[in-house]
Amino acid sequence: MAIMEIMELGKTYNETKVLKNVTFSVGKNEVLAIIGPSGSGKSTLLRSLIHLEEADSGAIRIDGAYLAKDGKYVSAAAMKRITAKMGMVFQHFNLFPNLTVSENLVLAPKYVKKRGQVPDKKKSRRAA
């Protein structure tokens, strides 16, 4: 069974079709590389999978649950449940220059997942 299924996904900006009926699936323990020239829709595709962009058509199914179907996304609560274990590393990291590498890395687990919320700073970082 596929962990992720993308079926005929489409996205248009103004009159430019960025994603044209993109279809693929990824099974458990499979690795997928998405390559292509600048402007070919790689980032738009990835952003659609975590709902930073909304695809206009097609379907996205994650672990058997629809995130989007016929271009319509599920409710915010369902979306949160489906995408809870998903993430994206952006092309431009935009790290906080006043923080160390370690401090930048633990920000998301600490504040989004509420991990590492213990009074001792060293133990907090380790937990995150």
Side-chain angles (χ1 to χ4, degrees), residues 2 32 34 44 71 80 92 122:
L32 173 72
I34 301 171
T44 300
K80 186 174 183 179
H92 303 286
K122 273 190 171 180

Side-chain angles (χ1 to χ4, degrees), residues 3 24-34:
I3 297 294
F24 65 91
S25 64
V26 181
K28 187 174 184 174
N29 297 322
E30 286 186 334
V31 176
L32 173 72
I34 301 171

Side-chain angles (χ1 to χ4, degrees), residues 80 96 99 102-118 121 124 128:
K80 186 174 183 179
F96 293 101
L99 301 179
S102 178
E103 290 168 333
N104 271 285
L105 289 172
V106 299
L107 277 178
K110 282 176 74 173
Y111 295 103
V112 176
K113 294 291 190 172
K114 305 296 186 214
R115 293 189 181 147
Q117 299 292 325
V118 294
K121 193 172 182 178
S124 176

Side-chain angles (χ1 to χ4, degrees), residues 20 81 102:
K20 303 170 194 166
R81 188 182 71 253
S102 178

Side-chain angles (χ1 to χ4, degrees), residues 8 12 15 50 52 63 72 83 87 94 103-104 108:
E8 299 184 11
T12 303
E15 294 182 22
I50 57 173
L52 291 177
D63 206 16
K72 305 288 185 233
T83 61
N94 296 324
E103 290 168 333
N104 271 285

